[in-house]
């Protein structure tokens, strides 16, 4: 077992995108890392030449046995876990009406229930340390539901609510919870990794159908840089008081702030109706 002062990062979904670039940054700093993917062969290169501080593991977050084994391997090797990055997941697009049950459930298993299960497995480690950071990669879709992204947005809204409660429970124990909320980034999310159910109902052609087409066409040209996103994730773990929410990318920032302002204005406009729902006060 290796013991030193370098932080130990446990990152899921390291074969592509945010997970891959973040893993490269962590390894480049000489820190310790547990890098995982469903197919270990896709992350073995990350550990090559640095086997004393990089542990490559197979991990499908929908498999409870693999979660237990990977957390045990991490603690057996490094003795601790300082940062958990819940990055594994993918996008599914369809209109709500045309959503396919098996695809919806598979996405929830990966994006939501897998994240929940891995977090539960790591919490005892961080709780005993009285320290740690949990970075949950959500999305702008955790604030805004776009056409064709209803089911994906539902998974990210679920993770946002989960993270709020987790922060309230684990914060007093020295565990920081940060939601990372990217807008469009140049990863495989909108390309190879994206699952879509084609739009066949004409009534949705101008909403869900149009967004299905636009998402595919823009893949590979998004403004967001995954390397810069990884650097931002590292920075927040080095802060004494990190933010609960970190929106990444100009498009994402504008979308989230605009939606929150609209939501607050609507709630304020209905203030009297809201307050009037209580029993009359004596």
């Amino acid at each position: 077992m290796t013991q030193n002062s370098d932080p130990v990062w446990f990152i899921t979904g390291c074969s592509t995108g945010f997970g891959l670039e973040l893993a490269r940054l962590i390894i480049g700093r000489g820190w310790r890392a547990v890098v995982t993917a469903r197919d270990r062969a896709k992350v073995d290169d990350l550990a090559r030449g640095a086997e004393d501080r990089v542990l490559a593991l197979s991990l499908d977050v929908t498999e409870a046995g693999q979660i237990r084994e990977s957390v045990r391997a991490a603690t057996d090797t490094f003795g601790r876990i300082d940062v958990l990055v819940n990055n594994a997941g993918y996008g599914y697009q369809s209109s709500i009406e045309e959503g396919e049950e098996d695809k919806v459930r598979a996405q929830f298993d990966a994006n939501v229930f897998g994240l929940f299960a891995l977090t539960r497995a790591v919490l005892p480690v961080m709780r005993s340390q009285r320290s740690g950071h949990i970075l949950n990669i959500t999305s702008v879709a955790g604030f805004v539901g776009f056409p064709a992204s209803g089911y994906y947005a539902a998974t990210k809204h679920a993770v946002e609510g989960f993270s709020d409660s987790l922060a309230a429970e684990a914060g007093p124990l020295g565990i920081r919870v940060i939601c990372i909320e990217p807008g469009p980034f140049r990863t495989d999310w909108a390309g190879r990794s994206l699952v879509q159910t084609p739009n066949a109902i004409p009534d949705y052609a101008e909403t869900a159908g149009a967004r299905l087409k636009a998402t595919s066409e823009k893949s590979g040209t998004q403004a967001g840089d995954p390397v810069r996103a990884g650097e931002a994730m590292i920075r927040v773990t080095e802060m004494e008081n990190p933010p609960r929410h970190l929106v990444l990318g100009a498009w994402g920032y504008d979308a989230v702030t605009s939606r929150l302002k609209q939501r607050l204005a609507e709630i304020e406009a209905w203030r009297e109706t809201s307050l009037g729902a209580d029993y009359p006060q004596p």
Side-chain angles (χ1 to χ4, degrees):
M1 179 171 65
T2 302
Q3 293 282 5
N4 58 46
S5 60
D6 294 333
V8 177
W9 286 63
F10 188 117
I11 310 169
T12 66
C14 293
S15 60
T16 61
F18 292 125
L20 175 59
E21 299 302 342
L22 179 59
R24 286 171 171 165
L25 289 168
I26 296 301
I27 295 166
R29 288 181 174 227
W31 292 348
R32 295 173 290 172
V34 181
V35 295
T36 74
R38 285 180 295 176
D39 180 359
R40 176 181 163 172
K42 294 183 177 179
V43 293
D44 276 341
D45 282 350
L46 291 169
R48 192 161 290 123
E51 289 83 356
D52 60 328
R53 56 187 177 85
V54 182
L55 179 63
L57 298 174
S58 295
L59 175 58
D60 181 339
V61 297
T62 68
E63 296 291 338
Q66 290 189 24
I67 287 175
R68 289 191 298 269
E69 291 168 6
S70 63
V71 173
R72 185 182 303 115
T75 54
D76 286 349
T77 303
F78 298 125
R80 61 188 297 115
I81 297 172
D82 296 294
V83 184
L84 168 63
V85 183
N86 280 312
N87 171 66
Y90 63 94
Y92 169 57
Q93 289 187 320
S94 74
S95 69
I96 298 296
E97 186 175 343
E98 294 169 300
E100 299 175 66
E101 186 73 9
D102 59 337
K103 290 184 173 62
V104 172
R105 290 184 178 275
Q107 183 178 229
F108 267 83
D109 282 341
N111 292 12
V112 179
F113 298 117
L115 181 149
F116 289 177
L118 182 55
T119 301
R120 287 196 302 270
V122 170
L123 278 171
V125 180
M126 292 185 172
R127 182 163 50 81
S128 68
Q129 297 168 178
R130 283 301 193 266
S131 67
H133 289 78
I134 297 175
L135 275 59
N136 289 330
I137 310 299
T138 68
S139 170
V140 169
F143 291 95
V144 186
F146 299 100
S149 291
Y151 296 109
Y152 177 71
T155 68
K156 297 306 183 180
H157 276 67
V159 172
E160 291 283 349
F162 169 83
S163 300
D164 282 342
S165 293
L166 178 59
E169 294 173 0
L173 307 177
I175 301 169
R176 303 289 176 254
V177 181
I178 305 162
C179 282
I180 307 297
E181 297 136 348
F185 270 72
R186 206 167 296 181
T187 69
D188 282 343
W189 186 93
R192 180 188 58 81
S193 299
L194 182 63
V195 177
Q196 292 183 329
T197 295
N199 169 230
I201 300 176
D203 287 341
Y204 300 124
E206 299 304 316
T207 52
R211 189 157 189 270
L212 286 166
K213 182 179 179 183
T215 300
S216 298
E217 289 176 345
K218 292 178 181 177
S219 179
T221 64
Q222 300 94 326
D225 179 350
V227 175
R228 290 173 183 264
E231 291 168 344
M233 293 181 215
I234 293 171
R235 282 199 299 275
V236 296
T237 67
E238 297 174 322
M239 297 176 179
E240 184 175 352
N241 295 301
R244 260 289 293 113
H245 301 276
L246 181 64
V247 181
L248 295 177
W251 188 95
Y253 175 87
D254 289 343
V256 170
T257 54
S258 175
R259 178 55 57 91
L260 290 177
K261 289 173 183 177
Q262 292 171 7
R263 187 168 297 170
L264 179 59
E266 182 179 60
I267 291 170
E268 292 287 1
W270 286 86
R271 177 177 184 275
E272 294 306 317
T273 300
S274 298
L275 301 185
D278 289 342
Y279 284 109
Q281 298 299 306

